Every structure is written in C-alpha cells, then in structure tokens.
Amino acid sequence: MDAGSLNSYSNLKGQSRCPLQEQLLQRKNSKENMDRFIPNRSAMDFDYAHYMLTDGRKIKENQTVCSPAREAYRKQLAETLNMNRTRILAFKNKPPAPVELFPTEHSTASAHPTKSAKPRRHIPQSSERTLDAPDLVDDFYLNLLDWGSSNVLAIALGNTVYLWDASDSSTSELVTVDDENGPVTSVSWAPDGRHIAIGLNNSEVQLWDSASNRQLRTLRGCHRSRVGSMAWNNHILTTGGMDGQIVNNDVRIRSHIVETYRGHEQEVCGLKWSASGQQLASGGNDNVVHIWDRSMASSNSPTQWLHRLEEHTSAVKALAWCPFQSNLLATGGGGGDRTIKFWNTHTGACLNSVDTGSQVCSLLWSKNERELLSSHGFTQNQLTLWKYPSMVKMAELTGHTSRVLYMAQSPDGCTVASAAGDETLRFWNVFGVPEVAKTAPKVNREPFSHLNRIR
C-alpha cells in the first residue's frame, strides 16, 4: 500500500573529479619500443631475389651494348615474366585488384541501397517551461492532469480546475467546487477535446463544456466515495472509486450506469481503455491489475474479468497501452514494488519485469518511437526514458524536488507535462519532433535496366 501523501528529498553528494591527466606512457630507455621489420616470407620469391643479386646486375652492366630491338625484346620478356620488380623483400601481401563486372555508376549499391544510420536524437535534460501549481494535492491515488485533443491542458489544484491553452499559453479557470464537494480528485478529457469530466471527493462526477464554460450534467449513484480515476471510450465514461467499483456510464442517456465491474478490494487508482476500445485495464491499491473485455460486459450483473494479474507487490496506478502492439500493456508498481511489467493481454502472460529502483507513478508510450517514459518518486523524483524492448535507459530527466505523480502527453506526442508534489508543472520535449512522412521513391525492379537494350 502506497502512502497517499509523502514528501521525500534526495541528498546528492558531488563527486570530486581529478583533472585530465596525460595518458601517454613514457619510454623507460632508448632500447624499448623500437620498430622491427619482419619480412613476409610467404610473399617472397627467393629465386628472383637470388637472380637479382647475382646475374641481374651483370645484365644491367651490359645493357649499353644492346641494340634497340634487343632492348625492346628484353623489356617485353621482363614484363611478361614479372621481372620489373624493384623490391627484394616483401613485407605484406598486395591486395588483389578489384574486378569491375558492371559500370561503376551502376554498382550493387543501387540495387541494394544501404540504409543510412539514423542520427541520435538530442534529448534536452531540462524542462523547457515551468509553471507554478499551488495547492496541487500530493496524493498517489488521484489523477489530476490531462491533455486534451484540442491542445488544452487541464489540471486540478485543490477545489479548482484550470485550463492552460498550449497554443497561446493562456490560462483560464473552468470551475471551483464547494468545500463540501471537493477537492477535485480526477480530470479526464473526452475524445472530442471539448468536453471534460471532473471527479469529486463526494463521489459525484461533473461533465463540463469547456468552450461555453457550462456544466452539462452531474453523474450520481456510481460510487460511495471519491472518484480517483476515469477513462473515456467514445461516449462511455468509465469511473473508478475508492469503493473498489468500476462503472461504465453512457453520458448520452438519463440512466447512465450501463455496466459495473467488481474485482478490486480497495481503491481503483488507474484506468485505461485500449485503442480498440475492446479491453479495459484497471489498477488498484490491492496490488492487482484486471483486464476486462467489453464483449463480456453485462448490464444485469457484475462483469467477470478476463485476466487477474497479481504479480505486483504494491499499488498499481501507472497503466499504458502500447500504440504499436495492441495486446501489450505496461504497468508500474508503487513504492513497495518499483517495477515496470509488460503483459500480453490476450493470454495474461507477463512478458518482462524491470526493477526501476523507485516508485512508479505514471507511464507514457511514445507515439513516434518504440520508447516508454516513466515518472518516479523517492529518491531522484525523475522521469526516465526507456528504449523498448531492450529497456535500456536513454535519458533521466531531473528537476522536480518531490515525486512526479502525474504525466500527460501533448496531442502531437512530442511534449510531456509532469506535475509533482513540489507544486510545479514542467514541460519536457522528451519524445522529439516526428519525422515528416516522405514519399517512397519509385523503384525500377527490372534487372539491368541501366544497360542498353539489344534490338
């Protein structure tokens, strides 16, 4: 069980480093490290060497009396018999001359183009922007940050929900709830980027139109206590409460409760629908992850889970569906677990488990690369970028002085916003700018197309 509120600070000691030292070793005496030239006997012609040391010299002395015809004959004979060499000792074999079977401009590289090495992406180690977030609730089980498809960031600070427009950096206040209803315990944008759901401490959920700044309706009767997690699936708003229940609400109809999932014994602190909308992942303070299948949902009785995953040893809030493999789910455990686990949601098998060394608060997949970003608590309060599937650390981003409880990704997938118990909101350009799709060049598949045709 992870503590709801915890302030932790790291004591980092700087390591003194010696100045750069000369790495070259000096020669002890003049007889050491002297060059030795060892001839390559396998490349030597001893008969030719003996001939050049004896009879070859006599021939050179008598060349002046030779007629022009005899001299031309001698040169031709020497060239034919490879006797125009001037060196006697051979120190290495000469590489054979390359044979050009085709014209140089049409080499095999054109038939099999080599893929150019992708330049390594620069990952800034510091946040590009930092905003104050006073009264941000330092609670592991809540979800107080979300970035909508209209490029507007929503954050709950105490009893108030603020909207920050990333296009012009403007800030507006959406709603402030009364003390008897608050604080706000979760926020979640609808897929249209205009409507937003606000979960409250009194078990209610409010639906707001951000364009007109107007409340549309209040969902009641879903839970008996605070609503700490929410997730949208088209017009279905799924809510998870401290009572351990998960409820599907159809926001279009008056009787909004259409399905109920029961399986968690403690608070539901993480909810994520898969991209297809067929599977729902839920994580709870009971250290359990459930996979629910929409096709098995029933409005008459509580729905049975598809998989119950019990390998984590602490609360599971961090959930992230892989964007390039539909049945791959990443989950992160709290302070007593500290692992990121990967699951095949079709079979329920655990594919890999990585010990991160600290509490895992949130997980985000890159939309452009095979990379995973995790946020952590004590001791470094860092964001860690991992390469998947090797899980090699690509970068560690530090700056927060308290655990990084919440993360949200911009619609283009490039920027990540993080909010921490230090009451700051930071923006990181961690995933980089996606490459512009290039039109593939037309490939002429006909062999020897560069050669003239025989007619």
Side-chain angles (χ1 to χ4, degrees):
M1 177 174 179
D2 280 44
S5 180
L6 176 66
N7 291 323
S8 58
Y9 299 92
S10 58
N11 296 322
L12 301 179
K13 296 182 179 180
Q15 298 179 354
S16 59
R17 300 189 54 148
C18 298
L20 184 64
Q21 294 182 346
E22 181 66 37
Q23 297 295 316
L24 297 177
L25 298 178
Q26 295 183 354
R27 184 179 298 178
K28 293 182 180 179
N29 56 64
S30 59
K31 293 184 178 180
E32 293 183 1
N33 299 328
M34 302 180 72
D35 291 332
R36 289 181 62 209
F37 293 95
I38 303 176
N40 184 0
R41 289 176 172 79
S42 63
M44 291 171 56
D45 188 346
F46 285 100
D47 292 336
Y48 174 74
H50 183 267
Y51 167 77
M52 291 300 296
L53 289 174
T54 57
D55 296 340
R57 182 178 301 176
K58 298 177 181 178
I59 294 176
K60 288 185 178 180
E61 294 175 352
N62 298 328
Q63 284 180 358
T64 55
V65 298
C66 294
S67 64
R70 187 176 181 84
E71 178 63 20
Y73 170 75
R74 187 197 65 79
K75 288 183 178 181
Q76 184 70 26
L77 182 63
E79 187 172 333
T80 304
L81 299 178
N82 194 24
M83 296 176 62
N84 285 331
R85 293 174 288 175
T86 58
R87 301 183 63 180
I88 297 176
L89 299 180
F91 299 102
K92 62 180 180 179
N93 292 320
K94 284 188 177 181
V99 179
E100 291 288 343
L101 299 179
F102 298 99
T104 305
E105 60 271 16
H106 301 291
S107 60
T108 56
S110 61
H112 302 282
T114 56
K115 190 175 182 179
S116 59
K118 189 175 182 180
R120 186 171 182 176
R121 185 177 82 250
H122 171 67
I123 303 173
Q125 297 298 300
S126 59
S127 57
E128 61 181 358
R129 183 193 296 264
T130 302
L131 303 178
D132 289 330
D135 300 325
L136 180 70
V137 179
D138 185 3
D139 194 324
F140 178 82
Y141 304 105
L142 306 184
N143 293 271
L144 305 180
L145 184 69
D146 196 21
W147 204 327
S149 60
S150 296
N151 206 19
V152 177
L153 187 79
I155 184 170
L157 303 177
N159 292 350
T160 305
V161 175
Y162 292 93
L163 304 181
W164 183 80
D165 194 331
S167 60
D168 58 7
S169 301
S170 61
T171 303
S172 61
E173 179 183 326
L174 179 65
V175 59
T176 298
V177 299
D178 298 332
D179 289 337
E180 59 267 20
N181 298 328
V184 176
T185 52
S186 57
V187 293
S188 182
W189 283 103
D192 61 7
R194 174 172 176 169
H195 299 95
I196 186 172
I198 300 173
L200 302 177
N201 192 56
N202 69 345
S203 79
E204 296 179 354
V205 177
Q206 296 182 359
L207 298 181
W208 282 76
D209 185 343
S210 64
S212 60
N213 212 45
R214 181 171 60 94
Q215 183 179 352
L216 301 178
R217 66 180 300 184
T218 300
L219 306 180
R220 298 182 175 91
C222 306
H223 302 279
R224 298 186 301 272
S225 54
R226 70 179 185 181
V227 181
S229 57
M230 297 185 294
W232 286 89
N233 186 3
N234 294 322
H235 55 272
I236 298 295
L237 174 63
T238 304
T239 58
M242 184 181 274
D243 55 9
Q245 284 197 150
I246 301 171
V247 178
N248 281 349
N249 301 272
D250 190 335
V251 299
R252 303 170 300 176
I253 59 179
R254 180 180 295 272
S255 300
H256 50 84
I257 299 177
V258 291
E259 286 110 17
T260 302
Y261 302 146
R262 291 191 178 95
H264 290 283
E265 298 175 358
Q266 296 187 39
E267 181 169 13
V268 179
C269 48
L271 285 173
K272 284 290 187 300
W273 279 101
S274 64
S276 65
Q278 291 302 310
Q279 289 188 331
L280 172 70
S282 64
N285 192 32
D286 53 3
N287 311 341
V288 174
V289 176
H290 282 116
I291 306 298
W292 312 86
D293 196 297
R294 186 75 197 277
S295 62
M296 300 171 59
S298 173
S299 58
N300 299 324
S301 60
T303 301
Q304 181 68 22
W305 59 77
L306 178 64
H307 298 295
R308 180 180 173 90
L309 313 175
E310 301 177 299
E311 278 77 354
H312 281 290
T313 58
S314 189
V316 183
K317 172 191 173 184
L319 304 168
W321 289 93
C322 179
F324 53 83
Q325 189 173 337
S326 60
N327 64 326
L328 178 62
L329 175 71
T331 61
D337 180 88
R338 304 182 302 276
T339 65
I340 299 175
K341 299 185 187 296
F342 298 91
W343 309 88
N344 182 334
T345 60
H346 288 171
T347 64
C350 182
L351 306 176
N352 191 14
S353 180
V354 178
D355 188 353
T356 67
S358 58
Q359 180 186 53
V360 183
C361 302
S362 184
L363 291 171
L364 286 175
W365 285 97
S366 170
K367 297 179 180 180
N368 309 313
E369 302 287 345
R370 292 179 178 248
E371 298 169 0
L372 179 68
L373 183 68
S374 57
S375 69
H376 299 271
F378 182 81
T379 60
Q380 289 185 283
N381 307 306
Q382 83 282 12
L383 282 72
T384 303
L385 183 64
W386 309 84
K387 187 68 178 177
Y388 185 83
S390 65
M391 291 306 287
V392 173
K393 288 184 182 180
M394 299 180 62
E396 285 195 333
L397 312 178
T398 57
H400 284 292
T401 58
S402 183
R403 56 181 180 172
V404 188
L405 293 168
Y406 320 111
M407 287 198 304
Q409 192 173 12
S410 61
D412 62 5
C414 301
T415 307
V416 170
S418 63
D422 58 9
E423 297 187 343
T424 62
L425 177 64
R426 295 175 181 266
F427 295 84
W428 312 83
N429 186 19
V430 60
F431 288 136
V433 179
E435 294 182 357
V436 179
K438 297 180 180 179
T439 306
K442 186 177 180 180
V443 179
N444 194 336
R445 300 183 180 275
E446 185 177 358
F448 306 107
S449 58
H450 59 277
L451 301 178
N452 294 330
R453 295 180 180 273
I454 299 177
R455 298 184 182 275

